[in-house]
Amino acid sequence: MSETETYYEFGTAADRWDRAQLFFEAKEYLTAARILGGLVEEVPEQVAPRLLLARSYYHSARLGKAEEELRRVLELDPVESYARLMLGRTLERQGRGADAAPHLRMAAALTGDFGTQAAHS
């Protein structure tokens, strides 16, 4: 184990996924992101670890990194409605409302939730 690695970065992918979820639920977003970063490198085609990584970045106010991961999720799965919603909210938090609007509208269309978005359009 090198100085930069810690115990929670070891184990099977399933062990690390479980551990990352526990850290996320405990609001330890930076630790969750550290674990998830390794998982995403190992399984870049899987949406779930990348989406949780994006959420970890979002909640730790690393909005540029959150945006990057959410865009990658949407490249893998263009109809992932939660990623659309998160991308819209991430862009809003960066003061980019015009960029956020199409993603928020698409998220509403994908989930059938037109009530809250209609007032913002």
Side-chain angles (χ1 to χ4, degrees):
M1 182 173 355
S2 77
E3 290 177 23
T4 60
E5 294 175 310
T6 55
Y7 77 92
Y8 50 76
E9 294 174 278
F10 288 91
T12 67
D15 291 340
R16 287 177 287 136
W17 169 245
D18 291 343
R19 204 172 298 126
Q21 290 178 300
L22 290 172
F23 278 107
F24 184 86
E25 290 167 13
K27 297 182 176 13
E28 296 287 339
Y29 302 118
L30 294 176
T31 302
R34 190 168 172 181
I35 297 166
L36 291 161
L39 277 176
V40 164
E41 285 178 20
E42 287 176 40
V43 288
E45 72 286 354
Q46 288 191 9
V47 169
R50 197 175 289 279
L51 185 55
L52 191 59
L53 176 58
R55 292 177 65 201
S56 297
Y57 285 148
Y58 178 86
H59 287 296
S60 60
R62 296 163 77 187
L63 300 178
K65 287 186 165 288
E67 178 184 351
E68 186 179 311
E69 292 303 327
L70 289 164
R71 290 188 185 281
R72 287 188 183 144
V73 166
L74 291 170
E75 286 173 12
L76 295 167
D77 185 357
V79 294
E80 169 48 68
S81 61
Y82 190 70
R84 275 286 163 209
L85 177 63
M86 286 275 320
L87 180 56
R89 288 183 177 167
T90 299
L91 293 168
E92 280 182 330
R93 275 184 74 185
Q94 295 178 70
R96 296 165 56 196
D99 293 336
H103 296 288
L104 295 172
R105 281 194 300 273
M106 186 173 288
L110 290 168
T111 60
D113 181 16
F114 298 101
T116 57
Q117 292 303 317
H120 300 296
S121 299

